[in-house]
């Protein structure tokens, strides 16, 4: 081993505390990168493999009722590779443990053999026997919530008729990775199920013998999806087709894809922020380490070592710290990714989900870490190498403290000697102090931003379920009914108020942009479910025009005053041209609001509603639920408290839980930055502090000189970090937001107070650790010149 390598090992051991702290900051940034890229790769590969293995359809085409012979005509379309017709319908499941009936979707399976498209994955039991209309498969996650197993009996209402079924198996399907009750956006396994049964039995239940109400199609490789959709719409138009749509608009796949895209956006935007903070810290640390070893560099050059050899030595030091931190980050990222992957298995109904590593993330993390670490050393080495050995070996001229500069003479006389030393260093070395301030401020910004995100999630929940939706129960009907039904609801004992709503399935278009969703018709000045502006003030719905959510307006690239095209997918299926009147702030979903009367006029169906929002007396809740269940037009009930609980579970136990991992990483980086600032100050001033001890300063006075500097730097960094954190919050909030839910970045003094406490706590702990090392230091060893 060469003498320089011996020196390298000694240097690493001497600065082991600081090296570990630097490595921890690097590790956190790399951990974030590896974890998030791995999650994206895992979800994408698993989704694609699952879709392919169980033959998820490329095109879905609902229809009112079409004869089975039409399947052969559809199969002759050149771009069609496979066709599967089926019967689907809404059902209500009666469970003895539930007061409310549970909404479900009934789906047919071929009487013989597996389906050509949208096959199911059997997790327990067996498939329904051919011709057995009383045997069903049940969605595995729903069965688990209600402790149902093969062999149990299930009662359900289909098409107004109550029937009893035998559960013979449990299943999962790529079609139902994300399951929500009709009219809701948040999944809840306890409140929505899927029932599979043989085609003949389900066709009899829904009067579909010899017919179907949905057709699935596979797209031939290299064919145009748009052309196929047009051809299918033309073929089904005379049979009540409501518009074919591709896999991208299929509800479950759309939400899975949005989650992956949101996570991918976070991967692109968030880890670089963490790595940038680490890179800046490394620049400060390495540049100061090299500057502090100016004399050693001159000594090595005097012994005949070339600039390249000395530079390589310091690059090895940088490489050891950066590579060690990057390696720890890679291992930590693998562990964190494997831990979080279980949340996605629970959130999305994948039968298998294995954490997949993205090799590019390792290469990027290690490369960025080493390059950022090298930048500080190279910048300083360039100036030191320009010196001759004799000059480099001579210590730089000490700063001139004979004048107080900007500190007034009268003010200086009010301070004791240690305090004046602290102020002189702050004012005479503003560049170094600014670097420490920005470093600590960056840590403060990360903590403040993550705490703001936590508050944003809470604000999203509170605004959605307390300010926007002020109802207790939402009733949905099997079809658009007369608004006189509202009076029947109001007459129910315990119903305090009822407000109508109509949901119309549409495809919204603006130029080349489109979105498959719905128009929501509300009273002009609704009270129970409202559209709000940016100030949370209610928007009175105009007699003509549509109010779009901010998210939907961004998706469609449209502004108030523009004209929106709405292609209705039910009833007479008119094509509406509607002016955009305003935009509303919504944090759940991407709705489009219209006046109920205006929507009914556009549909040429006056006085129709498809649901109602109710406020009820909780003491009468069970009686109200029972009465609603007996109404033949009621398709389902949604209790707001249950929907809120489901949303909370999704945010805390599902995809939103990743914010906690990011918060822990932010706090670790914050502590690492503050601790590094303290360690750097100690390394730079160890000789000076030892000299103070020799000339008579006590341990406390010497520590005050060091820790006073850290205290001032930390206090100045707090408001700077608060400003940086404010803007950083918007970047991270955008990374977390999806079409399903939007996370606002809202300034909350409490949040910033908590972030300041985190930084101050880190400063106190770091100060205590540094003072302990200072008290234990050997004065004679500290005063020696290192060789």
């Amino acid at each position: 081993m060469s003498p320089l390598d011996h020196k390298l090992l000694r240097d690493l051991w001497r600065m082991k505390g600081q090296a570990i702290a630097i490595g921890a900051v690097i590790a956190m940034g790399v951990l974030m990168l590896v974890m998030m890229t791995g999650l994206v790769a895992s979800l994408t590969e698993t989704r694609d493999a699952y879709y392919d293995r169980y033959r998820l359809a490329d095109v879905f085409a609902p229809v009112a009722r079409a004869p089975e012979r039409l399947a052969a005509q559809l199969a002759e379309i050149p771009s069609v590779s496979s066709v599967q017709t089926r019967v689907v319908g809404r059902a209500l499941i009666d469970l003895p443990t539930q007061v409310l009936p549970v909404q479900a979707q009934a789906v047919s399976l071929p009487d013989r053999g597996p389906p050509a498209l949208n096959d199911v994955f059997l997790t327990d039991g067996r498939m329904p026997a051919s011709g057995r209309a009383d045997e069903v498969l049940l969605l595995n996650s729903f069965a688990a919530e209600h402790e149902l197993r093969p062999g149990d009996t299930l009662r359900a209402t289909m098409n107004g008729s109550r029937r009893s079924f035998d559960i013979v198996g449990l299943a999962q399907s790529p079609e139902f990775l994300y399951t929500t009750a009709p009219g809701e956006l948040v999944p809840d396994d306890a409140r929505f199920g899927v029932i599979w049964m043989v085609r003949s039995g389900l066709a009899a239940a829904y009067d579909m013998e010899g017919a179907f109400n949905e057709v699935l199609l596979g797209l031939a490789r290299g064919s145009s999806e748009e052309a196929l959709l047009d051809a299918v719409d033309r073929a089904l138009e005379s049979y009540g087709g409501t518009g074919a749509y591709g896999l991208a608009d299929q509800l479950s796949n759309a939400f899975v894809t949005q989650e992956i895209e949101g996570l991918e956006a976070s991967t692109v935007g968030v880890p670089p922020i963490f790595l940038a903070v680490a890179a800046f810290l490394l620049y400060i640390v390495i540049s100061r380490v090299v500057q502090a070893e100016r004399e050693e560099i001159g000594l090595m050059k005097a012994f005949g070592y070339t600039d390249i050899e000395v530079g390589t030595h310091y690059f090895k030091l940088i490489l050891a710290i950066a590579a060690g931190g990057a390696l720890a980050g890679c291992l930590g990222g693998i562990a964190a990714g494997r831990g979080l992957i279980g949340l996605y298995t629970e959130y999305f109904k994948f039968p298998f989900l294995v954490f997949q590593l993205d090799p590019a993330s390792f290469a990027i993390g290690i490369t960025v870490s080493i390059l950022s670490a090298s930048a500080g050393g190279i910048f300083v080495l360039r100036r030191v190498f320009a010196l001759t050995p004799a000059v480099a070996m001579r210590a730089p001229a000490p700063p001139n403290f004979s004048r107080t500069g900007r500190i007034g003479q009268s003010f200086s006389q009010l301070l004791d000697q240690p305090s004046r030393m602290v102020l002189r260093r702050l004012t005479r070395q503003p560049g170094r102090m600014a670097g420490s301030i920005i470093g600590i401020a960056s840590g403060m910004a990360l903590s403040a931003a993550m705490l703001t995100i936590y508050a944003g999630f809470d604000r999203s929940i509170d605004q959605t379920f307390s300010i926007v939706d002020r109802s207790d129960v939402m009733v949905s009907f099997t079809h658009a009914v007369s608004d006189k039904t509202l009076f029947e609801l109001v007459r129910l004992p315990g119903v305090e108020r009822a407000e109508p709503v109509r949901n119309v399935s549409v495809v919204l278009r603006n130029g080349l942009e489109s979105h498959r969703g719905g128009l929501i018709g509300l009273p002009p000045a609704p009270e129970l479910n409202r559209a709000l502006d940016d100030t949370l003030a209610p928007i009175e719905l105009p007699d003509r025009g549509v109010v779009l959510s901010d998210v939907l307006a961004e998706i469609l690239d449209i502004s108030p005053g523009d004209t929106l095209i709405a292609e209705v997918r039910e009833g007479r299926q008119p094509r509406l041209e509607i002016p955009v009147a305003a935009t509303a702030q919504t944090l759940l979903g991407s709705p489009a609001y219209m006046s109920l009367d205006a929507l009914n006029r556009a549909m040429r169906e006056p006085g129709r509603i498809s649901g109602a929002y109710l406020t009820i007396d909780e003491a009468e809740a069970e009686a109200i639920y029972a009465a609603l269940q007996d109404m033949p037009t009621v398709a389902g009930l949604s209790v707001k408290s249950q929907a809120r609980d489901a949303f909370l579970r999704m945010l805390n136990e599902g995809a939103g839980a990743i914010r906690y991992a990011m918060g822990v990483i932010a706090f670790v980086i914050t502590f690492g930055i503050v601790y590094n600032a303290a360690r750097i100050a100690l390394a730079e001033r160890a000789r000076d502090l030892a000299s103070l001890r020799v000339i008579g300063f006590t341990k406390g006075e010497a520590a005050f000189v060091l820790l006073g500097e850290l205290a001032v730097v930390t206090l100045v960094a707090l408001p700077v970090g608060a400003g940086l954190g404010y803007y950083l919050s918007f970047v991270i909030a955008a990374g977390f937001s999806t079409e399903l839910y939007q996370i606002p970045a809202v300034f909350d003094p409490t949040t910033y107070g908590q972030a300041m406490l985190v930084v101050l706590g880190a400063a106190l702990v770091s100060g205590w650790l540094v003072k302990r090392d200072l008290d234990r230091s050997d004065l004679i060893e500290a005063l020696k010149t290192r060789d």
Side-chain angles (χ1 to χ4, degrees):
M1 183 179 294
S2 70
L4 289 182
D5 289 337
H6 279 290
K7 180 181 183 301
L8 173 64
L9 295 178
R10 289 198 306 271
D11 288 345
L12 285 173
W13 178 253
R14 174 175 52 82
M15 57 182 298
K16 56 183 179 296
Q18 193 172 347
I20 292 173
I22 298 171
V25 175
I26 297 174
M28 292 299 102
V30 176
L31 183 152
M32 178 68 68
L33 182 65
V34 172
M35 177 186 70
M36 297 186 73
T37 54
L39 288 174
V40 171
S42 302
L43 290 172
T44 302
E45 292 184 16
T46 303
R47 177 197 61 184
D48 295 344
Y50 193 26
Y51 286 1
D52 182 66
R53 186 176 303 176
Y54 291 92
R55 304 179 298 281
L56 184 64
D58 296 305
V59 171
F60 299 74
V63 61
R65 180 188 173 93
E68 186 63 30
R69 57 179 171 77
L70 192 63
Q73 179 181 337
L74 293 172
E76 294 176 357
I77 299 176
S79 56
V80 172
S81 61
S82 56
V83 175
Q84 176 71 62
T85 61
R86 65 181 187 178
V87 175
V88 297
R90 298 175 69 172
L92 293 176
I93 299 176
D94 298 321
L95 297 171
T97 58
Q98 298 288 315
V99 176
L100 282 172
V102 179
Q103 299 186 68
Q105 182 171 350
V107 182
S108 70
L109 294 171
D111 286 280
R112 292 180 179 82
L117 296 170
N118 289 26
D119 200 358
V120 298
F121 170 69
L122 193 66
T123 61
D124 196 6
R126 62 174 177 83
M127 299 292 289
S130 177
R132 292 296 302 270
D134 58 343
E135 293 184 350
V136 297
L137 295 179
L138 201 58
L139 184 66
N140 182 53
S141 55
F142 174 81
E145 284 288 330
H146 298 286
E147 299 181 350
L148 297 172
R149 297 189 56 79
D152 293 342
T153 300
L154 184 75
R155 294 186 59 82
T157 301
M158 294 182 178
N159 200 25
S161 176
R162 292 188 179 180
R163 304 175 58 185
S164 180
F165 300 96
D166 294 326
I167 302 173
V168 297
L170 307 179
Q172 293 176 246
S173 168
E175 183 181 0
F176 299 105
L177 289 177
Y178 187 98
T179 53
T180 60
E184 297 188 15
L185 292 175
V186 180
D188 188 349
D189 294 332
R191 298 189 301 121
F192 182 74
V194 180
I195 300 171
W196 288 273
M197 57 189 295
V198 294
R199 171 75 174 269
S200 57
L202 196 61
Y206 288 93
D207 301 322
M208 287 284 172
E209 292 91 341
F212 62 87
N213 59 7
E214 186 175 43
V215 60
L216 312 174
L217 301 105
L219 183 66
R221 184 170 300 179
S223 301
S224 168
E225 182 181 280
E226 288 296 327
L228 177 57
L229 294 177
D230 291 340
V232 172
D233 284 342
R234 288 194 299 270
L236 297 179
E237 183 178 6
S238 58
Y239 298 98
T242 57
Y245 56 91
L247 181 58
D249 291 322
Q250 197 264 343
L251 184 63
S252 172
N253 176 72
F255 281 121
V256 174
T257 302
Q258 284 174 23
E259 182 61 38
I260 294 174
E261 290 176 349
L263 192 59
E264 195 169 16
S266 299
T267 302
V268 173
V270 177
I273 295 173
F274 285 69
L275 284 173
V277 173
F280 180 77
L281 175 66
L282 285 167
Y283 173 82
I284 296 173
V285 172
I286 298 301
S287 61
R288 290 193 178 182
V289 168
V290 173
Q291 183 66 37
E293 298 208 352
R294 167 192 173 110
E295 297 179 29
E296 286 76 7
I297 293 173
L299 186 62
M300 286 185 285
K301 294 176 70 174
F303 274 100
Y305 289 103
T306 65
D307 288 349
I308 294 178
E309 289 174 323
V310 177
T312 302
H313 163 71
Y314 282 97
F315 183 76
K316 287 180 180 179
L317 176 65
I318 294 168
L319 184 65
I321 298 174
L327 178 60
C330 291
L331 296 177
I334 294 172
R338 287 178 174 172
L340 286 174
I341 206 71
L343 297 175
Y344 284 95
T345 307
E346 181 71 20
Y347 183 55
F348 296 124
K349 309 305 182 293
F350 287 111
F352 54 87
L353 189 56
V354 180
F355 184 67
Q356 300 287 330
L357 299 177
D358 184 359
S361 64
F362 290 91
I364 293 172
I366 293 173
T367 302
V368 170
S369 302
I370 293 174
L371 290 178
S372 60
S374 303
I378 292 172
F379 181 76
V380 177
L381 283 172
R382 182 176 58 85
R383 291 182 297 170
V384 175
F385 289 158
L387 302 176
T388 63
V391 176
M393 290 173 61
R394 196 163 50 232
N400 182 9
F401 291 146
S402 61
R403 297 179 181 273
T404 56
R406 290 184 294 271
I407 305 176
Q409 186 69 26
S410 58
F411 178 70
S412 178
Q413 292 176 353
L414 298 177
L415 302 177
D416 58 13
Q417 186 62 35
S419 299
R420 287 200 296 269
M421 295 175 66
V422 171
L423 288 177
R424 284 170 181 169
R425 180 170 170 85
L426 292 173
T427 56
R428 296 298 183 180
Q429 295 179 326
R432 292 190 179 186
M433 297 305 103
S436 298
I437 290 170
I438 295 175
I440 296 176
S442 299
M444 162 78 182
L446 285 177
S447 296
M450 290 312 305
L451 289 171
T452 298
I453 295 303
Y454 293 167
F457 274 84
D458 294 338
R459 176 68 64 88
S460 178
I461 294 169
D462 182 65
Q463 181 173 324
T464 299
F465 294 100
S466 299
I467 301 177
V468 173
D469 185 357
R470 302 195 293 184
S471 68
D472 297 319
V473 179
M474 194 274 183
V475 181
S476 57
F477 301 124
T478 55
H479 57 281
V481 299
S482 169
D483 55 7
K484 294 182 174 57
T485 307
L486 201 65
F487 297 109
E488 299 180 24
L489 297 177
V490 175
R491 284 198 294 266
L492 293 176
V495 174
E496 299 171 349
R497 183 169 184 168
E499 194 170 85
V501 63
R502 182 169 187 185
N503 293 290
V504 176
S505 177
V506 296
V507 175
L508 302 175
R509 300 188 187 278
N510 177 43
L512 299 177
E513 306 297 335
S514 65
H515 176 78
R516 189 178 184 90
L519 289 174
I520 302 175
L522 298 174
E527 292 293 332
L528 300 186
N529 189 46
R530 307 177 296 168
L532 306 177
D533 61 19
D534 293 340
T535 64
L536 301 185
I539 299 175
E540 186 169 348
L541 299 179
D543 186 59
R544 183 174 181 272
V546 62
V547 176
L548 302 179
S549 68
D550 293 333
V551 176
L552 185 54
E554 184 177 349
I555 292 173
L556 295 172
D557 190 21
I558 198 169
S559 304
D562 296 339
T563 300
L564 180 68
I565 304 299
E567 298 176 357
V568 179
R569 295 304 188 184
E570 59 183 67
R572 297 183 178 87
Q573 300 188 24
R575 187 176 186 271
L576 310 177
E577 295 185 4
I578 312 171
V580 178
T583 60
Q585 185 183 70
T586 58
L587 300 179
L588 184 63
S590 48
Y593 300 104
M594 284 187 69
S595 165
L596 179 60
D597 292 338
L599 179 58
N600 283 333
R601 283 198 305 271
M603 295 286 294
R604 298 181 184 177
E605 296 174 352
R608 313 300 285 180
I609 62 175
S610 60
Y613 291 97
L614 310 178
T615 55
I616 64 173
D617 181 357
E618 290 296 331
E620 302 287 341
E622 291 192 16
I624 294 172
Y625 299 156
L628 291 172
Q629 185 177 357
D630 291 334
M631 295 177 66
T633 56
V634 173
L637 307 175
S638 175
V639 179
K640 187 178 72 173
S641 60
Q642 294 180 351
R644 181 190 179 102
D645 292 341
F647 190 48
L648 277 171
R649 283 196 299 273
M650 180 189 70
L651 295 182
N652 295 331
E653 302 174 10
I658 195 173
R659 71 188 189 275
Y660 295 121
M662 293 177 61
V664 171
I665 292 171
F667 298 148
V668 171
I669 289 180
T670 300
F671 177 80
I673 290 173
V674 177
Y675 180 69
N676 269 290
R679 292 296 307 185
I680 292 169
L682 177 60
E684 289 181 337
R685 308 199 66 184
R687 186 182 178 89
D688 296 339
L689 296 172
S691 299
L692 293 177
R693 292 286 309 284
V694 170
I695 63 177
F697 278 63
T698 64
K699 289 183 179 181
E701 289 172 329
F704 177 82
V705 173
L706 176 65
L707 299 182
E709 173 189 326
L710 176 64
V712 173
V713 167
T714 302
L715 292 176
V716 174
L718 292 180
V720 178
L724 292 175
Y726 176 79
Y727 293 103
L728 184 59
S729 299
F730 290 96
V731 177
I732 297 180
F736 272 107
S737 298
T738 67
E739 189 177 331
L740 172 60
Y741 57 84
Q742 294 79 50
I743 304 303
V746 183
F747 179 78
D748 184 355
T750 303
T751 296
Y752 287 84
Q754 292 172 345
M756 290 180 181
L757 289 177
V758 170
V759 175
L760 292 175
L764 289 174
V765 174
S766 301
W768 175 76
L769 291 174
V770 171
K771 184 180 184 302
R772 185 190 61 178
D773 292 343
L774 179 62
D775 292 343
R776 294 175 179 177
S777 63
D778 187 332
L779 298 183
I780 297 176
E781 186 66 27
L783 289 171
K784 289 181 178 179
T785 300
R786 292 196 310 273
D787 52 7

